[in-house]
Amino acid sequence: GFVRNVEMIVKDHSGQPHCGLFSAEVIDIQNTEYLLTFVSDITEIKKAEELQRMHQANMAHLLRLGELAGTRARFGSAMAG
């Protein structure tokens, strides 16, 4: 059997958590089964994705504020006219 690209939190030797992408497969070498495993550290990728989500949310909020300010400015001009 095999497992591919399962996200998991792993700790390094100092106890710091890292996000890892885990894969494993049973392989046969000369009639002996071995478990071949691989973990790829994707911590920085996950941090960048979260930062991008935060920036997008902030931008959407600013756009809503800008639209609201524009509506108020038009309403104020109509009332004064």
Side-chain angles (χ1 to χ4, degrees):
F2 63 90
V3 174
R4 297 255 196 290
N5 299 326
V6 175
E7 283 188 29
M8 58 190 323
I9 302 297
V10 293
K11 292 185 179 181
D12 64 17
H13 64 279
S14 65
Q16 291 295 318
H18 293 268
C19 187
L21 203 55
F22 176 78
S23 295
E25 183 171 351
V26 176
I27 60 172
D28 186 289
I29 300 176
Q30 297 180 350
N31 295 323
T32 302
E33 289 187 340
Y34 297 90
L35 182 62
L36 178 64
T37 61
F38 183 79
V39 177
S40 180
D41 187 345
I42 59 170
T43 304
E44 295 304 316
I45 293 169
K46 298 302 265 183
K47 286 180 183 177
E49 289 173 347
E50 179 60 25
L51 190 58
Q52 183 180 18
R53 277 191 292 276
M54 287 173 44
H55 285 304
Q56 288 173 338
N58 287 340
M59 191 58 109
H61 180 69
L62 289 173
L63 288 172
R64 285 191 300 273
L65 288 176
E67 290 170 0
L68 181 60
T71 301
R72 286 184 179 168
R74 286 191 300 273
F75 182 73
S77 297
M79 295 295 287

